[in-house]
DNA sequence: CTTTAACCCTGGAGGC
DNA sequence: TGCCTCCAGGGTTAAA
């Protein structure tokens, strides 16, 4: 499941190759994604020059002079570089063709999205999908104070508040459990009950968890941008609690618990993570 | 306003 | 071997 580190690694993989290059063709092989891929996107993009490859939360933003292509990898998506002559595989839904490079969007479950935001509609940050997103967790704006302020008065469990995306972006189901374990916080705790100090610890834990994943991703970059790796080869996760139900906690040997919050699995150590 | 739940989809796992 | 059921996940949307 691509979370922020995987998306950022993908961005770093495609940016040096796409930026300032002319996109000879953009091909849509399967328009049925999260939302239909606009039928005129090939015409919109063919022959245009990529100006930059950015990221906001888990959205990839490929910017052109006349607008921005918004890409989301959903939960099973990957963007990989492929040799020019390699046959497409099942679930390769879209294709970017440059003179000497080619990229394929592979997404078996089609939870991903490819959208277009024309420049005349204003800054892409005002797109409905991006407008209400929270702060970037790896930016200087992401602090314990910010978390504390955003959590104030919220009854929602802290785990779900982290996942909601309106406070902080890019923290998915895996890293939410991992960061809460690292910070020693019970995922069921109402967000508004967290002290300023614990919010500071949590912000730090989130940053460390994501940065650590990002570092390990750097070495597997080639899985995203060359033809060698299988599509969807995500980072090897060195999880402390995620999918470890019943196994002994690495800190105290207490069996890790699995609960469901908002239809999603949460893993935590009932002893290390306090109320 | 906040919070909850359904939904989109496919592949893999487990039961029989 | 095959068929059926269940589950995973991000994030939008509708409903409570």
């Amino acid at each position: 499941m691509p979370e922020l580190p995987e998306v950022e690694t993908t961005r770093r993989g495609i940016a040096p190759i796409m930026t300032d290059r002319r996109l000879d063709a953009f091909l849509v092989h399967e328009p049925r994604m999260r939302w239909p891929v606009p039928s005129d996107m090939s015409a919109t993009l063919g022959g245009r020059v990529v100006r930059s490859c950015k990221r906001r939360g888990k959205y990839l933003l490929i910017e052109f002079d006349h607008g921005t292509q918004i890409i989301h990898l959903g939960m099973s998506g990957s963007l990989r570089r492929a040799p020019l002559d390699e046959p497409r595989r099942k679930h390769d839904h879209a294709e970017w063709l440059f003179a000497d490079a080619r990229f394929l969007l592979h997404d078996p479950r089609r939870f991903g999205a490819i959208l277009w935001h024309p420049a005349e509609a204003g800054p892409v940050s005002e797109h409905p999908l991006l407008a209400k997103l929270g702060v970037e967790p790896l930016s200087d704006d992401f602090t314990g104070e910010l978390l504390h302020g955003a959590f104030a008065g919220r009854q929602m469990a802290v785990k779900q508040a982290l996942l909601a995306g309106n406070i902080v972006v890019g923290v998915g189901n895996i890293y939410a459990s991992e960061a809460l374990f690292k910070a020693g916080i019970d995922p069921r705790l109402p967000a508004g009950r967290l002290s300023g100090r614990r919010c500071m610890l949590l912000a730090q834990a989130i940053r460390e968890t994501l940065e650590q994943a990002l570092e390990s991703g750097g070495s597997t970059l080639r899985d995203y941008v060359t033809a060698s790796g299988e599509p969807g080869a995500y980072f090897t996760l060195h999880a402390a609690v995620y999918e470890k139900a019943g196994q002994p906690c690495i800190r105290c040997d207490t069996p890790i618990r699995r609960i469901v919050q908002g239809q999603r699995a949460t893993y935590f150590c009932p002893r290390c993570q306090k109320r």
Side-chain angles (χ1 to χ4, degrees):
Chain A
M1 328 81 218
E3 298 201 23
L4 186 145
E6 287 84 353
V7 178
E8 175 60 17
T9 299
T10 299
R11 189 198 68 76
R12 292 178 186 180
I14 67 173
I17 301 163
M18 288 193 179
T19 304
D20 294 329
R21 298 292 215 298
R22 195 182 96 115
L23 178 61
D24 290 330
F26 176 71
L27 307 176
V28 179
H29 304 295
E30 173 54 86
R32 295 175 303 164
M33 302 285 287
R34 179 75 170 79
W35 297 279
V37 180
S39 56
D40 59 353
M41 191 168 277
S42 293
T44 302
L45 294 183
R48 301 291 185 142
V49 175
V50 172
R51 292 303 177 191
S52 65
C53 300
K54 296 180 177 168
R55 178 188 59 76
R56 177 74 175 98
K58 296 176 187 169
Y59 293 92
L60 283 169
L61 307 173
I62 301 179
E63 299 189 324
F64 298 81
D65 288 331
H66 63 318
T68 303
Q69 195 176 28
I70 302 174
I71 298 160
H72 199 289
L73 299 177
M75 70 150 290
S76 60
S78 62
L79 192 51
R80 79 175 205 283
R81 189 173 177 187
L84 299 175
D85 57 353
E86 185 183 284
R88 270 188 293 120
R89 306 174 193 182
K90 195 179 180 184
H91 305 307
D92 284 339
H93 303 319
E95 188 167 358
W96 289 257
L97 287 175
F98 296 84
D100 53 0
R102 175 183 179 226
F103 296 87
L104 290 167
L105 180 83
H106 181 89
D107 186 5
R109 290 176 201 179
R110 295 193 275 117
F111 275 25
I114 303 175
L115 299 171
W116 175 249
H117 181 80
E120 59 261 33
V124 70
S125 60
E126 290 172 16
H127 187 280
L129 293 176
L130 307 181
K132 291 171 188 168
L133 293 182
V135 68
E136 287 288 332
L138 300 180
S139 74
D140 292 341
D141 293 340
F142 183 59
T143 62
E145 288 80 18
L146 178 128
L147 269 189
H148 193 53
F151 283 168
R154 298 292 201 91
Q155 292 303 303
M156 192 188 293
V158 59
K159 156 83 165 5
Q160 290 172 268
L162 289 178
L163 285 181
N166 54 351
I167 297 173
V168 57
V169 294
V171 184
N173 204 41
I174 299 170
Y175 296 132
S177 281
E178 293 298 313
L180 285 163
F181 172 77
K182 185 173 278 195
I185 294 168
D186 188 318
R188 300 165 295 186
L189 200 61
R193 298 260 177 79
L194 286 182
S195 66
R197 167 165 172 73
R198 300 188 88 194
C199 286
M200 205 189 66
L201 290 172
L202 181 54
Q204 179 72 9
I206 289 169
R207 200 177 295 114
E208 285 175 7
T209 302
L210 295 178
E211 276 174 357
Q212 198 179 344
L214 201 45
E215 276 175 36
S216 74
S219 59
T220 60
L221 200 65
R222 66 177 65 86
D223 291 339
Y224 283 86
V225 296
T226 78
S228 60
E230 286 300 302
Y234 299 119
F235 302 163
T236 315
L237 181 71
H238 32 278
V241 291
Y242 188 75
E243 287 188 331
K244 303 283 184 184
Q247 298 181 41
C249 170
I250 57 173
R251 284 185 52 206
C252 75
D253 278 352
T254 302
I256 297 301
R257 277 191 63 192
R258 177 191 187 274
I259 60 173
V260 174
Q261 294 180 289
Q263 335 262 77
R264 293 222 159 76
T266 300
Y267 299 86
F268 70 106
C269 171
R271 183 163 167 196
C272 293
Q273 296 176 252
K274 304 269 193 310
R275 288 207 149 259

